[in-house]
Amino acid sequence: MTRLPLSFVAFAGFGIFWGVWGAALPALRQTAGVSDAQLGGALLCVGLGALPAMLFTGRAVDRFGTRITGLLLATLAVAGILVAVFARDIVAVCVGMLLVGATSGASDVAANALAGGE
């Protein structure tokens, strides 16, 4: 029996998060009481959070190796849960999207580094 490469598991976890997260956005919008335009603006914060995290994660992977990938994916899941629990207005949604973006960017870099090393 062949062993499934860890990069497959990492990318599956990443894809599962974004699939569930995308499906949860309408409920998040309704819970937070924000308009479609406000949610769209808040989603821009995902990219804003991801960019600096990607830079720092590259350095962290160089220093600590790809073993941090699982930790970063778990942090991404926790960030998604925190946004769902605490997003009650536009400010909380934007801050949460920054957090999701940062953890998503970090997880993406780590998963790609893991795949490149296998």
Side-chain angles (χ1 to χ4, degrees), residues 5-96:
L6 290 177
S7 60
F8 285 8
V9 176
F11 285 118
F14 194 74
I16 288 168
F17 171 81
W18 279 109
V20 170
W21 183 248
L25 285 175
L28 178 70
R29 185 190 61 76
Q30 184 177 18
T31 301
V34 297
S35 68
D36 288 338
Q38 288 173 318
L39 181 62
L43 286 171
L44 289 173
C45 292
V46 173
L48 289 174
L51 288 175
M54 291 171 136
L55 174 67
F56 294 118
T57 303
R59 292 181 179 156
V61 167
D62 286 345
R63 182 172 180 161
F64 302 112
T66 56
R67 63 183 179 267
I68 64 170
T69 304
L71 175 65
L72 292 171
L73 285 165
T75 306
L76 176 61
V78 169
I81 292 167
L82 288 174
V83 173
V85 170
F86 292 110
R88 298 293 177 236
D89 59 13
I90 187 62
V91 173
V93 171
C94 287
V95 170

